């Protein structure tokens, strides 16, 4: 098993070349070294950097496991918009009143910002101006995966990302796939970021933790007829209003079986038609992805190994290096 994990992660690291983006804004095939990402990047610059982030994440997850789910989601939402550059962390300012965190896919559902703040404050005390917010987001998602999985999802996260200076709310709608997407739309959305069909299926497994607002699936998924399990649909009708609104939009767990654990239960839920989103259900609409769902559901360790590799690959999407970015002093504002 160890050799299989090593091989998968090695392949993921090689794919960094395909997903890095130069400062000019065009895709290029640089080597991982050119991209600036490597395991142990802060070994000499800030030796305790990863331990400091892990400590902040552990404290947050112990208090509320949902925060860990939010940190995993934060990496996805950061990387798909402007690349993995911590643009999702920027607060509104008079010059930019609508940053990514206020985009509909992020507001009000994205959570975990206070964990990033705590980690950054500790890092600034230990190593001022050294560790980027983009790397903190990547480390935090890795560490949240570790704690939520009972330490089964344990992997090295390459670092060396710089922080971006552009954050636009409307771009979240351009690049983040909504829960209503069909399979073909999901595939195209991930392909635009250099991620394959299996990456998409594997990363969808993160829906095994966390909560969703009812408005993300009502009324579409509860309409009749629907492929959703009838008993599950009735359960959801008891949890959600028929017409969610901004003043009445409760949340429900995404995985009713193991809601607080990062595991492969999601795929069993997909097979049982007990998932919230159209995008989740769409994984059964092609033989190829249905086979991936089956493998992830039934082969011990299969999903965990692939999730580790897919997280590394996603965390290398369109990273900024050199003059293309900066190391923010405060993750919520660009340097001036």
């Amino acid at each position: 098993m160890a050799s299989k994990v090593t091989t998968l992660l090695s392949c993921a690291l090689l794919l960094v070349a395909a997903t890095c983006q130069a400062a000019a804004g065009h895709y290029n095939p640089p080597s991982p070294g050119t991209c600036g990402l490597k395991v142990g990047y802060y070994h000499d610059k800030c030796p305790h950097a990863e331990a400091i982030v892990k400590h902040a994440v552990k404290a947050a997850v112990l208090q509320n496991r949902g925060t860990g789910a939010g940190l995993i989601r934060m990496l996805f939402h950061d990387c798909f918009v402007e690349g993995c550059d911590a643009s999702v962390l920027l607060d509104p300012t008079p010059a930019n009143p609508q940053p990514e965190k206020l985009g509909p896919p992020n507001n009000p559902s994205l959570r975990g910002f206070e964990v990033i703040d705590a980690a950054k404050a500790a890092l600034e005390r230990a190593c001022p101006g050294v560790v980027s917010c983009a790397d903190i987001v990547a480390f935090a998602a890795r560490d949240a995966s570790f704690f939520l999985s009972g330490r089964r999802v344990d992997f090295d996260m390459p670092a060396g990302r710089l922080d971006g200076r552009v954050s636009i709310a409307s771009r979240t709608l351009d690049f983040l796939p909504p829960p209503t997407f069909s399979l073909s739309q999901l595939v195209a959305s991930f392909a635009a970021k250099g991620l394959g069909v299996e990456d998409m299926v594997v990363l969808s497994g993160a829906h095994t933790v966390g909560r969703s607002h009812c408005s993300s699936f009502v009324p579409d998924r509860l309409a009749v007829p629907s492929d959703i399990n009838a008993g599950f649909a009735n359960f959801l009708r008891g949890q959600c209003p028929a017409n969610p609104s901004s003043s009445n939009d409760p949340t429900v767990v995404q995985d009713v079986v193991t809601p607080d654990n990062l595991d492969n239960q999601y795929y069993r839920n997909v097979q049982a038609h007990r998932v919230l989103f159209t995008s989740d259900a769409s994984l059964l609409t092609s033989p190829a992805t249905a086979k991936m769902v089956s493998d992830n559901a039934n082969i011990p360790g299969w999903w965990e190994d692939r999730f580790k590799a897919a997280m590394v690959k996603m965390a290398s999407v369109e990273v900024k290096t050199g003059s293309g970015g900066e190391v923010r002093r405060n993750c919520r504002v660009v340097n001036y």
Side-chain angles (χ1 to χ4, degrees):
M1 183 65 73
S3 61
K4 182 196 296 184
V5 174
T6 301
T7 300
L8 284 167
L9 291 176
S10 296
C11 290
L13 289 171
L14 289 173
L15 284 165
V16 168
T19 51
C20 291
Q21 184 186 50
H26 302 287
Y27 281 104
N28 290 278
S31 69
T34 302
C35 194
L37 299 184
K38 68 177 183 178
V39 172
Y41 180 83
Y42 293 106
H43 182 270
D44 296 322
K45 301 178 181 183
C46 187
H48 302 295
E50 295 191 45
I52 289 171
V53 176
K54 194 168 191 175
H55 177 77
V57 172
K58 182 179 181 180
V61 172
L62 284 174
Q63 184 174 9
N64 185 340
R65 292 178 74 82
T67 302
L71 291 169
I72 297 172
R73 183 169 178 248
M74 182 183 289
L75 178 65
F76 171 50
H77 282 223
D78 184 38
C79 292
F80 265 55
V81 184
E82 306 295 348
C84 306
D85 67 348
S87 52
V88 75
L89 303 180
L90 291 173
D91 279 346
T93 65
N96 183 27
Q98 289 290 313
E100 286 172 34
K101 64 167 51 171
L102 296 186
N106 294 331
N107 184 34
S109 60
L110 198 61
R111 59 196 300 195
F113 296 108
E114 73 286 351
V115 183
I116 305 300
D117 290 339
K120 179 62 170 176
L123 286 164
E124 286 299 298
R125 289 192 295 269
C127 315
V130 173
V131 182
S132 71
C133 301
D135 279 341
I136 297 172
V137 171
F139 290 149
R142 184 268 312 271
D143 297 336
S145 301
F146 174 76
F147 291 118
L148 291 176
S149 68
R151 303 173 180 258
R152 290 187 301 276
V153 177
D154 186 11
F155 60 98
D156 290 327
M157 177 61 80
R161 303 163 190 80
L162 290 179
D163 301 324
R165 300 178 61 87
V166 175
S167 184
I168 303 170
S170 62
R171 300 279 280 174
T172 62
L173 296 172
D174 294 334
F175 293 107
L176 289 171
T180 55
F181 259 16
S182 67
L183 180 62
S184 61
Q185 290 172 314
L186 283 175
V187 170
S189 176
F190 277 69
K193 299 300 174 182
L195 300 169
V197 176
E198 186 172 30
D199 297 317
M200 181 272 291
V201 173
V202 166
L203 291 168
S204 294
H207 288 171
T208 192
V209 288
R211 303 181 69 87
S212 171
H213 283 271
C214 292
S215 58
S216 296
F217 58 89
V218 176
D220 296 352
R221 288 282 285 155
L222 301 185
V224 178
S226 172
D227 73 295
I228 197 168
N229 175 277
F232 186 53
N234 285 333
F235 165 77
L236 294 174
R237 290 188 186 101
Q239 302 292 310
C240 295
N243 295 288
S245 65
S246 58
S247 61
N248 186 20
D249 191 10
T251 62
V252 297
V253 295
Q254 295 198 94
D255 176 356
V256 295
V257 182
T258 59
D260 294 326
N261 298 331
L262 187 72
D263 56 24
N264 68 340
Q265 179 62 42
Y266 165 81
Y267 299 98
R268 299 188 185 100
N269 295 343
V270 171
Q271 292 178 312
H273 301 277
R274 292 167 61 88
V275 285
L276 298 181
F277 304 147
T278 299
S279 56
D280 294 327
S282 77
L283 301 185
L284 294 180
T285 60
S286 87
T289 54
K291 173 65 162 57
M292 294 175 194
V293 168
S294 178
D295 289 343
N296 287 319
N298 296 309
I299 303 174
W302 186 270
W303 172 72
E304 288 85 351
D305 289 348
R306 282 151 184 78
F307 184 73
K308 298 170 191 177
M311 286 286 280
V312 170
K313 186 176 176 182
M314 180 176 69
S316 63
V317 167
E318 301 172 21
V319 301
K320 294 174 175 61
T321 59
S323 60
E326 63 186 13
V327 175
R328 286 183 213 141
R329 292 183 291 271
N330 179 337
C331 289
R332 293 175 178 266
V333 296
V334 299
N335 294 340
Y336 290 102

